[in-house]
Amino acid sequence: MQNDLVALIVLIAAALLLGAGIVALVRWNKLKRSNELRANFGPEYERALEAHGSRERAERDLLARRKRRDGLDIKPLSEEQCDTFSAEWGRVQQLFVDDPGSAVLEADTLVKEVMRTRGYPVGDFDQRVADLSVEHANVVEHYRSARKLAAANEHGTAQTEDLRQAMIHFRALFAALLQTDRAERPEPVATQRLSHV
């Protein structure tokens, strides 16, 4: 009888240890996933936390973004496409000198055209941001700011400095989108001042 009691105690202790081990493993996996998502999404991770109010819901959203992005056929631009888009950006930047409002509208259109050429859907703005956040999390806030300023421009409430800031924000995303798999392409400078603006 006493042997049965000892065996039962050992069995219960083993079950408790196994349960504790499983709980620790689950927590470790969640922490690992959280750290990986935080590293991948950068400031977008914190934004998702704030928007969703819980880590679990925020991470579910970020994982859904990644899954959707993985289903898209996103491709790098060819050298010729990069050259064409870069020349077009130069033209838009020059336009800013004489007509800042039109330049901002054209910059917005050009960013969407680069996205479309790379394979991103360009319908809904919030979906564009979510899709971009998977690979370009460090510049999507620039895109949000640029679109906000572009909307003010469309409503006639933007000042020249607002339009200059919009161009800087569009430039950050534009530079990130032009990146290809080739090593000779320079890294984008997110806050680079426009030389002609």
Side-chain angles (χ1 to χ4, degrees):
M1 179 93 166
Q2 192 164 4
N3 285 342
D4 289 341
L5 182 61
V6 170
L8 181 62
I9 291 172
V10 168
L11 194 59
I12 291 172
L16 289 174
L17 283 174
L18 181 62
I22 290 171
V23 167
L25 183 61
V26 167
R27 284 185 181 166
W28 182 80
N29 282 334
K30 283 184 178 182
L31 180 61
K32 183 179 172 185
R33 182 184 71 186
S34 294
N35 289 338
E36 186 271 325
L37 287 170
R38 182 176 275 119
N40 185 68
F41 283 93
E44 197 65 14
Y45 182 91
E46 299 303 323
R47 184 180 178 86
L49 279 176
E50 187 176 309
H52 291 288
S54 84
R55 188 178 74 191
E56 186 177 319
R57 285 193 301 255
E59 289 181 358
R60 225 177 310 142
D61 173 45
L62 296 174
L63 289 168
R65 292 183 198 189
R66 183 183 288 161
K67 183 177 181 180
R68 175 182 157 79
R69 164 53 187 89
D70 288 346
L72 300 175
D73 184 22
I74 306 301
K75 52 199 167 290
L77 298 172
S78 69
E79 188 72 33
E80 299 80 38
Q81 289 169 321
C82 285
D83 292 344
T84 299
F85 284 129
S86 292
E88 185 62 15
W89 179 264
R91 186 194 64 74
V92 170
Q93 194 167 272
Q94 285 293 330
L95 176 63
F96 186 88
V97 175
D98 297 320
D99 190 354
S102 293
V104 167
L105 290 173
E106 289 194 31
D108 188 14
T109 300
L110 182 57
V111 163
K112 283 189 272 190
E113 185 57 33
V114 172
M115 289 179 65
R116 185 181 352 268
T117 302
R118 295 229 21 222
Y120 287 99
V122 294
D124 176 67
F125 175 73
D126 290 332
Q127 188 61 61
R128 281 192 308 249
V129 168
D131 292 341
L132 286 168
S133 72
V134 177
E135 290 182 8
H136 302 288
N138 291 326
V139 294
V140 293
E141 195 56 40
H142 282 286
Y143 195 27
R144 285 186 185 101
S145 297
R147 282 296 305 138
K148 183 177 179 182
L149 293 167
N153 178 45
E154 291 168 10
H155 293 100
T157 60
Q159 303 297 315
T160 303
E161 178 58 21
D162 297 329
L163 299 176
R164 188 182 75 77
Q165 288 299 317
M167 291 292 287
I168 290 169
H169 291 306
F170 277 128
R171 173 71 173 110
L173 178 59
F174 179 81
L177 288 169
L178 248 59
Q179 297 303 299
T180 66
D181 293 335
R182 285 168 271 208
E184 69 268 10
R185 290 268 178 218
E187 288 296 315
V189 179
T191 57
Q192 175 181 351
R193 291 184 62 102
L194 298 173
S195 59
H196 296 90
V197 176

